[in-house]
Amino acid sequence: MTHFLSAGDLTPERSLHLFRIAAALKQRWKTGDRATPLAGRTLALIFEKPSLRTRVTFEVGIVQLGGRAVYLAGSEVGMGTRESVPDVARNLSRWVDGIAARVHAHSSVETLARHATVPVINGLSDVEHPCQALADYFTLWERGLDLATTRLAWIGDGNNVCHSVMLLGALLGTEVAVACPPGYEPAADVQARARSLGSRLTITADPREAATDADILYTDTWISMGQEAERERRREAFSRYQINDRVVGFAKRSVLVMHCLPAHRGEEITDAVLDGPHSIVLDQAENRLHAQKAIILELLGGSLDDV
């Protein structure tokens, strides 16, 4: 694996390999192991969008592995405006050992990867959020779920996180049912790619159909960054797609509820569900750190043997 731009770039074997590395890194850190397999390595963080979880987990992740991060705000770099994306990639490749980029356009991470001589990690784009999906499935895997027999219901916007959940679910054999209002379904090309990877994918407009007998209920904000002007139209379109106690009641009694955060409480999910006994959202958030440490270790040439 040279770069990590899409959840669909993985294989089932590579995914499980990363889960095992993440689990080992998590366990060793919690037991006080402070090995530094990436001592002296530097990871550049280009962030065109604000972030809590992605920024902190990348910065803390490289530091825990012994390296350091250099944070570059999008306005400072000006990718594609102040300086061409290829030139950004070529310059950073002379100074750092890896690049993690949180961008508006997916083409930006693809262009960075095409011109960089160091690994590039997609920290979120308008098409995908593969690091989130890796942490999500790692969270389910570490809880002992058989991902090949798990039914995951995504209820809400067919957005970038949904895309990555669909693609990685296809690789791992997870059944994914997506319930969206008409016009907000996942992109057709991502649906096609998921199906080409063997996905057991259902797209429906009925949240009850998706939630029925689900092992996992997953949602995300209805109004992502950059969609603020559509706020009222989206609230109206998604009003039937809230995860609340009624929707939880359609799923299995053991259902787990996921959200990639930040949550708009009272919109896509109620307080009672988000803070309730089925919720594992903080486990997901914690595992962003450990899953990304596994990616960084793999891509920057470190070894678990050195941890």
Side-chain angles (χ1 to χ4, degrees):
M1 187 168 68
T2 305
H3 306 288
F4 185 48
L5 306 186
S6 166
D9 292 342
L10 298 172
T11 64
E13 295 76 19
R14 175 68 70 178
S15 305
L16 295 172
H17 175 64
L18 289 170
F19 293 167
R20 286 190 282 270
I21 293 176
L25 290 170
K26 182 176 182 178
Q27 192 271 337
R28 293 182 193 187
W29 184 263
K30 286 181 180 290
T31 56
D33 192 325
R34 298 295 184 264
T36 55
L38 295 183
R41 308 288 181 88
T42 303
L43 181 67
L45 306 179
I46 303 175
F47 274 49
E48 292 183 334
K49 290 185 172 185
S51 168
L52 172 65
R53 278 153 294 280
T54 301
R55 177 175 176 179
V56 172
T57 51
F58 268 119
E59 287 206 29
V60 172
I62 184 69
V63 168
Q64 288 188 357
L65 292 167
R68 59 165 299 181
V70 176
Y71 179 80
L72 299 162
S75 58
E76 183 178 8
V77 179
M79 282 203 306
T81 53
R82 178 177 174 275
E83 189 160 4
S84 76
V85 180
D87 281 351
V88 172
R90 294 181 188 116
N91 277 267
L92 286 175
S93 296
R94 299 293 183 107
W95 306 319
V96 303
D97 301 287
I99 301 168
R102 182 177 175 91
V103 298
H104 294 288
H106 189 73
S107 60
S108 294
V109 288
E110 292 179 326
T111 305
L112 279 172
R114 199 157 50 244
H115 294 277
T117 57
V118 298
V120 174
I121 302 169
N122 179 1
L124 179 142
S125 70
D126 58 350
V127 177
E128 280 210 52
H129 199 352
C131 293
Q132 179 68 56
L134 189 74
D136 294 338
Y137 283 101
F138 168 57
T139 302
L140 300 177
W141 174 84
E142 74 169 354
R143 295 177 76 93
L145 272 73
D146 179 356
L147 297 175
T149 61
T150 295
R151 175 179 168 82
L152 185 152
W154 175 280
I155 297 177
D157 194 8
N159 61 12
N160 48 1
V161 179
C162 178
H163 288 166
S164 292
V165 167
M166 286 165 44
L167 291 169
L168 192 49
L171 291 171
L172 296 169
T174 303
E175 180 184 359
V176 177
V178 178
C180 305
Y184 295 94
E185 297 89 349
D189 60 332
V190 180
Q191 291 187 43
R193 189 177 180 201
R195 291 196 165 94
S196 74
L197 295 172
S199 176
R200 294 185 292 139
L201 176 65
T202 302
I203 308 292
T204 177
D206 184 354
R208 178 171 181 165
E209 178 186 344
T212 298
D213 294 330
D215 300 285
I216 311 295
L217 295 175
Y218 198 146
T219 191
D220 189 9
T221 179
W222 297 338
I223 305 154
S224 297
M225 285 177 284
Q227 297 172 335
E228 290 78 6
E230 305 172 32
R231 184 181 303 276
E232 293 311 315
R233 179 162 59 86
R234 282 180 163 266
R235 279 177 174 161
E236 182 177 351
F238 285 93
S239 60
R240 294 177 49 236
Y241 295 82
Q242 182 187 71
I243 294 188
N244 49 36
D245 287 334
R246 177 173 169 272
V247 173
V248 170
F250 298 139
K252 292 181 179 176
R253 291 173 62 87
S254 59
V255 67
L256 301 173
V257 175
M258 307 182 84
H259 193 306
C260 54
L261 303 176
H264 291 192
R265 291 168 175 265
E267 288 191 0
E268 74 274 5
I269 192 166
T270 61
D271 285 345
V273 175
L274 190 67
D275 301 326
H278 299 285
S279 175
I280 58 169
V281 299
L282 292 180
D283 291 341
Q284 286 178 264
E286 178 184 351
N287 280 339
R288 291 289 306 278
L289 172 64
H290 307 296
Q292 284 161 205
K293 283 174 68 176
I295 297 168
I296 295 168
L297 187 69
E298 280 284 281
L299 289 181
L300 269 60
S303 170
L304 196 57
D305 295 336
D306 299 324
V307 177

